[in-house]
Structure formats: C-alpha cells, structure tokens
Amino acid sequence: MTSRSVLVVVFDDVQSLDVTGPLEVFTGAGRHSGHPYEIRTASLDGAPVRTSSGLTVVPDQALGEAEVPHTLLVPGGDGTRRPDPRLIDRLREHARDAERIVSVCSGALLLAEAGLLDGRRATTHWSVCDHMARTYPAVDVDPDPIFVRDGRIATSAGVTAGIDLALALVEEDHGRDTALAVARHLVVFLRRPGGQAQFSAQLAAQTARREPLRKVQQWITEHPDGDLSVESLAERASLSPRHFARTFHSETGTTPGRYVERVRLEHARRLLEDTADGVGQVSRASGYGTPEAMRRAFVKALGTAPAEYRRRFRPSTPPTPPTPSMFSEPA
C-alpha cells in the first residue's frame, strides 16, 4: 500500500481542533496500519499562525512550496470570514490535482469562495449554513448532516465532525479495524454516519427553564415507548394540556409533538445502527408500535425506509477487540 499525503492549510484565527482532531486520527491510523500518512501543514507564507484560542501553530512550509497532496484538508474558524485572496488562489491550485479535498467546519466557506463547491452538495457548521447558502447560491447547502461526500470533495459540520469525517476516510483507506482502533484510542465513536443530524433531539430544542418541563424532556428521552401524549405529559408537569403545550413551545422552541417525533426517530436510528434487533422490535421500543408506522416516519424524515437505513449505516461485521500493541504505551 502506498503512503498517502495530507496537506493541512492553516491561517490566522483557524479553529485549533479543526486542525488537530483530524491529524490525530490520521496519525493514529498510520501507527496502527503500518502505512503512515505523510502529514504536512502549510500557511500562506510559511509563517506561524495564531489560532482562535490563542495557540500558535508553526507550519512546515509555505503553501506555494507544498507538493500537491493526496488529501487537501481545509479547517475552519474565524479566519474564514475575510480570507486573503492569495489563500483562495493557492487552494484552487492545490485542489486542481488533489485526489481528495476535505473541509472541516467553516472551512467549507473557503472551498466555496474558490468555486470548488459549485454544483455540489455540501455542509458546514450550522451557524454559517444560511450565510453560505446566500453567499454561494451555486452550492447545494445541506445544514443537517455531520458530513457530506460529493465526488472527491467532503465537507463536514462543526469541530468534532472533522474527527468523524477523518475516521470515515481512514476506514476507506485502511479498513474498519484500523478506524475502530483509532476511535477507541481517542475514546470517540467509530461511526456517527454522515447522514446523522448535527443536533440530537435534546440539542435541537432548547432546554426548558422550568424544572417540571425539563423533567418532562428527560422523561421523553428515557421512555420513547411510553405514553407521550400531550395529556400524559401535561399531567407529569402538573399543568393543563393547553397550558403545557403553550409553555413547552415557548421555552423549547418546538411543540411537544415534534419533540417526541425527534426523540423517537433518534432512538430508532440508534437501535438500527447498534443492535441486531428486528424492525418490529425496534418500532415497539421506539414508541412507533408497528413497523409500518416507523417506516412512514423514516421516509418522511430521512427519505429512506428503516431496512435501507440499517443496510447503509450498520457495520456488516462485529467490532474487533483492540490490538494491545496498536499504540505505544504512554510515557
């Protein structure tokens, strides 16, 4: 297997974790597989850069001196808001012959500015999705997924989603065992599928200010197969159904019904991904009652049936125990 090169572009006000997260994944994969990635960092002029958190990064070289890489990785951060036009020109040059182009977080804005995302589906951090869609109408911006692959270009959502995408690339390069070993070493999930939402149901909705409503939110999460009617939930909150529905919407930004829908869908997706339970069992455990009801919910929300979702996102083989010597022991 030939080694693969990774060139990471750095600039002032870059998000440090957008840089170090994927690099830890690629470095760990090289240790485990025995085929290291050739990792280089480059700034526009080769000068040190200061990240948004105050960390100083000393790059290996100037971007203009770097060889065309196998994988060009563009992180995000505040520095993507007003990029140097020379940086955009260099990205175009390197992207022309790179086999893979990857962005993390708002790094997608730099790819869009370079015209590399025109006519492609892409994602970025949720907070800049609207801005990217307005500024670059030729880009098909999808605000929901953790990461998106469109041909040789992959874009990812905020910060830690860069780790998810890097693990997916490692799995593509070196196989699932290596990706799993790296994920375990970093104590992260191997697979948060790219199609997963950037927000869980709990993050998508605001946390209620009042304790009775917060307890109801927690109850919904822990009992997706329970009686989650407005009347039942209102009783738990010691409110009338009308008052409960109005207050829940006011404090969480969503209705009780929509919140329940998201929790049940998220629960069903997790069971389909992580267990061998049958579709009927999953539908009952997630509160849908019947496979047909769950199928309708999946098609409406995800555009795919539960069986197809499982086929795409559940590992075909069981997890493999980590090899004791995969990483050197801590000093």
Side-chain angles (χ1 to χ4, degrees):
M1 183 184 297
T2 58
S3 61
R4 294 176 171 85
S5 60
V6 178
L7 178 64
V8 184
V9 180
V10 294
F11 43 85
D12 283 327
D13 281 331
V14 68
Q15 168 79 40
S16 57
L17 191 56
D18 289 1
V19 176
T20 59
L23 289 195
E24 290 293 343
V25 172
F26 289 126
T27 300
R31 291 174 183 161
H32 179 265
S33 68
H35 299 280
Y37 288 86
E38 298 174 3
I39 300 173
R40 307 288 288 177
T41 56
S43 66
L44 182 57
D45 299 316
V49 301
R50 191 171 179 82
T51 71
S52 57
S53 61
L55 180 71
T56 297
V57 175
V58 181
D60 297 308
Q61 59 193 139
L63 194 53
E65 300 170 356
E67 295 182 359
V68 174
H70 174 276
T71 299
L72 177 66
L73 193 150
V74 182
D78 291 342
T80 62
R81 294 178 179 177
R82 292 174 295 277
D84 189 317
R86 296 176 299 158
L87 177 63
I88 301 303
D89 290 340
R90 292 297 187 190
L91 288 180
R92 289 194 192 99
E93 292 173 8
H94 282 287
R96 188 179 302 121
D97 297 315
E99 292 191 34
R100 281 193 312 223
I101 304 166
V102 177
S103 70
V104 181
C105 196
S106 59
L109 294 175
L110 300 183
L111 299 187
E113 180 67 20
L116 300 172
L117 299 182
D118 288 358
R120 294 182 183 272
R121 179 169 167 259
T123 193
T124 184
H125 191 280
W126 61 268
S127 67
V128 295
C129 279
D130 287 346
H131 168 73
M132 188 161 82
R134 289 193 307 270
T135 309
Y136 306 103
V139 182
D140 179 11
V141 180
D142 188 340
D144 192 48
I146 288 176
F147 60 82
V148 168
R149 300 286 298 274
D150 190 331
R152 67 190 182 108
I153 298 182
T155 53
S156 61
V159 193
T160 56
I163 295 175
D164 295 298
L165 176 53
L167 285 168
L169 297 177
V170 164
E171 186 170 6
E172 177 181 293
D173 294 343
H174 297 294
R176 186 177 185 278
D177 284 351
T178 294
L180 179 59
V182 175
R184 284 178 167 166
H185 182 71
L186 297 178
V187 198
V188 297
F189 290 108
L190 168 59
R191 295 175 315 104
R192 281 197 300 170
Q196 277 195 358
Q198 292 192 31
F199 289 122
S200 66
Q202 291 76 23
L203 288 177
Q206 304 166 31
T207 300
R209 294 188 301 273
R210 305 183 193 188
E211 184 177 359
L213 294 185
R214 290 200 301 270
K215 288 184 176 180
V216 167
Q217 286 180 293
Q218 185 66 28
W219 170 265
I220 294 171
T221 302
E222 295 175 352
H223 301 87
D225 58 341
D227 180 0
L228 303 183
S229 64
V230 169
E231 291 75 15
S232 176
L233 297 176
E235 184 177 352
R236 289 190 171 277
S238 300
L239 298 171
S240 71
R242 179 177 295 182
H243 189 196
F244 168 77
R246 184 170 58 249
T247 305
F248 190 95
H249 184 274
S250 173
E251 296 201 11
T252 67
T254 189
T255 66
R258 290 196 184 99
Y259 189 79
V260 167
E261 287 174 3
R262 291 200 64 152
V263 167
R264 284 177 167 162
L265 183 68
E266 188 174 296
H267 187 263
R269 290 168 70 165
R270 188 164 58 248
L271 291 180
L272 290 171
E273 293 164 16
D274 299 335
T275 76
D277 294 348
V279 171
Q281 187 175 351
V282 170
S283 67
R284 291 189 296 273
S286 303
Y288 289 110
T290 67
E292 176 57 26
M294 185 169 76
R295 189 194 71 80
R296 289 196 299 269
F298 266 65
V299 170
K300 177 182 177 182
L302 306 174
T304 188
E308 174 62 16
Y309 181 88
R310 167 170 274 172
R311 188 189 69 77
R312 290 172 57 196
F313 293 128
R314 185 169 181 265
S316 57
T317 56
T320 319
T323 306
S325 61
M326 76 176 70
F327 295 108
S328 57
E329 293 294 322

